[in-house]
Amino acid sequence: MYYVYMLRCEDNSIYTGITTNIEQRMKEHFTKVGGAKYTYVHTAKKLESVWQTENRGMASKMEYRIKKLTKTQKEQLIVKNNLEDFFHEKLDCSQYKKIFL
């Protein structure tokens, strides 16, 4: 399984990434040991959203689409949690399952 996630940083920016081990990846981001360059500079504060999908290709497509959204759209996605609102013509949204941690 692959996970697509959105993190809120201390400067209120939103980081989006993919992983196969969400617990380990969050540990890396929050401790700044092995995390992304972005979250090393923009300290990760909170895990906002996580979706699960079957393969890397699907995860990469969703990550790419989220990164193309404006900050306002990313905020709306976090609040509404409705992938269809943003990606209905670009992704098969039924292939992604919201994970509540």
Side-chain angles (χ1 to χ4, degrees):
M1 287 293 153
Y2 280 81
Y3 301 90
V4 180
Y5 60 91
M6 297 173 75
L7 287 176
R8 174 132 358 239
C9 297
E10 285 186 352
D11 63 356
N12 207 34
S13 62
I14 299 170
Y15 174 82
T16 304
I18 64 173
T19 187
T20 56
N21 185 332
I22 195 71
E23 290 84 9
Q24 178 63 33
R25 192 65 175 142
M26 291 307 104
K27 181 180 175 184
E28 292 169 355
H29 282 302
F30 291 120
T31 62
K32 295 188 177 186
V33 177
K37 288 180 186 179
Y38 188 87
T39 57
Y40 187 78
V41 175
H42 306 266
T43 303
K45 178 172 79 171
K46 178 183 177 189
L47 178 61
E48 291 283 6
S49 295
V50 181
W51 295 270
Q52 180 180 359
T53 192
E54 292 181 17
N55 61 60
R56 183 176 179 85
M58 297 289 294
S60 294
K61 285 179 187 178
M62 184 175 177
E63 178 191 33
Y64 173 80
R65 294 294 178 192
I66 291 173
K67 287 183 173 185
K68 290 288 189 182
L69 296 175
T70 66
K71 175 77 164 33
T72 301
Q73 290 171 320
K74 290 176 187 178
E75 296 286 0
Q76 290 172 350
L77 179 58
I78 290 167
V79 171
K80 292 181 180 179
N81 186 38
N82 189 353
L83 297 176
E84 291 283 337
D85 287 351
F86 299 97
F87 309 123
H88 68 279
E89 293 178 2
K90 298 173 178 143
L91 293 175
D92 178 1
C93 296
S94 67
Q95 298 297 313
Y96 303 92
K97 178 184 174 188
K98 175 72 176 177
I99 302 295
F100 298 94
L101 300 176

